Amino acid sequence: MNIMQNFKKIAIVGVGLIGGSIGLAIRTRRFSCKVIGIGRRKTSLDKAVQKSAIDKGTLDIQAGVMDADLIIIAAPVDQVREKIIEAAKYAKKGAIIIDVNSTKQDIVKIAESCLPKDIFFVGTHPMAGSEKSGVTSSEPGLFNDTVCIITPTRHTNKDALGKISAFWEFLGAKVKYMSAKTHDTIVARVSHLPHILSYVLCNTVSAKELAVAGSGFKDATRIAKSSSEMWEEIFLQNQKSVLKAITLYERNLRAIKSDIAKKNKQGLSEKLRTAMRKRANLD
Amino acid sequence: MNIMQNFKKIAIVGVGLIGGSIGLAIRTRRFSCKVIGIGRRKTSLDKAVQKSAIDKGTLDIQAGVMDADLIIIAAPVDQVREKIIEAAKYAKKGAIIIDVNSTKQDIVKIAESCLPKDIFFVGTHPMAGSEKSGVTSSEPGLFNDTVCIITPTRHTNKDALGKISAFWEFLGAKVKYMSAKTHDTIVARVSHLPHILSYVLCNTVSAKELAVAGSGFKDATRIAKSSSEMWEEIFLQNQKSVLKAITLYERNLRAIKSDIAKKNKQGLSEKLRTAMRKRANLD
């Protein structure tokens, strides 16, 4: 826990589902740093204070981040870049800035190009979330038993990297390191693709047909309840990897379609069994 | 409850997840008919008796169905046809046979062509299930707040239809009527397609990549844990409708892919919002 004592003050820029859950996870662990929330709406910040996700809220990013040891950018996807740039402007020497964005190549590049040498940046992506959004949906246990991907580069400060790894482990996550490029490829398949498939599935079934949908359909499309605004941004930010993931998926779907069309029992059976085994291993 | 008194003895042919859950649902409602389970393995039948899903089990279909008022064919997909034919051979005059199969056109056709005039058939499909299988996974509440599709034809006996509708409502389901053809089309989209998509998604992601999968991926692919043997049969039985559903899905996936490729924010946004709204209305 020593490493956590580096963070006497933590600023969370964007106190939504993820930002709020970070605040709650810190509080639940009785870690006695000060947590400041920076947001755009006073009502949301008030809710975050009421929920004990943050100690104090402010609409003024300068006031919020100025003496923070750790600045967490958990703003909406389309504002992450500008918030990193703004936070960097007001951050004190030695501060560490992290983001929690679903795409990493663009963000890491921008952060590394705009940050002064004495302010450190580490790209992180907690693989946790929910179809819900906003601080009211935040949960202290959101990161328990999840993976947090950290994407260091050759410019990443080793000391900052160590502190941030410890921070995510402290919040309950298992840390995995990979390049921003690898991250974007993998996450396109594991996270962005399932969301696309789920949205498309809802659009393939008419409202009338949905009246007979059972629990299988509901589970398979739960993530289609996620904010379309957020996901639209993510798909476009990770455009290249997302398109590749869709192409790969289309090929696999075509193969299974062909098995069904040709009544190729063996081919179909092999594909379904492989999928079933893979999925069973996930639990 | 009067209508249930028509069924003094109920035979369940195939006491797995669905057959077992029907037995449990009857028991939980304290309906005092006798429930006989017919199976292929004594161990499964013993488990069903232990769980109170059935009163008695037998490996002998003739002995099991001979004086039953209601015979429920809940056998594995590839055995439904032969079990209907067998049950019809031994059923007493006036008995009603129903199935619970995921496809209906073939089944209804076979049943109507092989059944004597004084034995009645009604095709039913409870839209309930789980990725689990076997009587050990059966639950008395499986049909609560679900839809049971009933597919009458012009040959269907009105009295039998009324009794079967009342039976499913008694078990907790909401009954919807449609033709077997409409059923197969709708169910291909609402149930068979999601299973295919889920299996294909698992096969599109490598085992290594799966290590970072979060709850979104897990939910979207829960149904890929379902028995591959069962689903292989269903996809082939409902081949025509399933292929059409896949083609429709491919078209919708291509449209969203094109929006992403062209950075067509408006098109993408409209599609995602429509999907989100549709899915939200499901809960």
Side-chain angles (χ1 to χ4, degrees), chain A residues 123-149:
Chain A
T124 81
H125 179 200
M127 299 294 290
S130 156
E131 74 280 12
K132 295 171 200 144
S133 55
V135 71
T136 44
S137 306
S138 58
E139 286 174 35
L142 192 70
F143 309 107
N144 288 341
D145 304 316
T146 62
V147 169
C148 180
I149 301 177

Side-chain angles (χ1 to χ4, degrees), chain B residues 88-102:
Chain B
K89 233 189 312 186
Y90 306 124
K92 70 173 183 187
K93 272 189 186 179
I96 303 175
I97 301 179
I98 68 171
D99 77 309
V100 296
N101 201 49
S102 291

Side-chain angles (χ1 to χ4, degrees), chain A residues 103-174:
Chain A
T103 66
K104 290 263 88 64
Q105 285 175 96
D106 280 13
I107 300 296
V108 171
K109 201 191 273 177
I110 283 164
E112 294 198 334
S113 69
C114 83
L115 255 63
K117 279 225 168 91
D118 49 9
I119 294 173
F120 309 112
F121 177 80
V122 182
T124 81
H125 179 200
M127 299 294 290
S130 156
E131 74 280 12
K132 295 171 200 144
S133 55
V135 71
T136 44
S137 306
S138 58
E139 286 174 35
L142 192 70
F143 309 107
N144 288 341
D145 304 316
T146 62
V147 169
C148 180
I149 301 177
I150 299 188
T151 58
T153 70
R154 61 196 174 86
H155 302 297
T156 306
N157 179 282
K158 291 274 181 303
D159 180 56
L161 180 62
K163 286 177 183 166
I164 294 308
S165 301
F167 176 69
W168 277 112
E169 282 164 0
F170 174 72
L171 297 192
K174 206 176 130 189

Side-chain angles (χ1 to χ4, degrees), chain A residues 246-264:
Chain A
I246 296 176
T247 301
L248 183 62
Y249 187 87
E250 285 175 324
R251 198 187 309 151
N252 291 334
L253 181 57
R254 235 175 359 251
I256 228 169
K257 187 186 182 186
S258 157
D259 287 339
I260 296 172
K262 293 175 187 156
K263 299 226 177 218
N264 175 6

Side-chain angles (χ1 to χ4, degrees), chain A residues 32-76:
Chain A
S32 67
C33 63
K34 193 158 191 189
V35 179
I36 306 298
I38 295 111
R40 288 172 302 167
R41 280 189 304 267
K42 203 180 166 298
T43 48
S44 300
L45 292 171
D46 289 347
K47 275 185 210 155
V49 171
Q50 264 168 35
K51 217 179 159 175
S52 294
I54 56 174
D55 298 308
K56 222 186 93 181
T58 172
L59 302 172
D60 179 354
I61 188 163
Q62 179 171 5
V65 308
M66 62 185 286
D67 52 353
D69 307 293
L70 171 61
I71 301 166
I72 301 166
I73 311 294

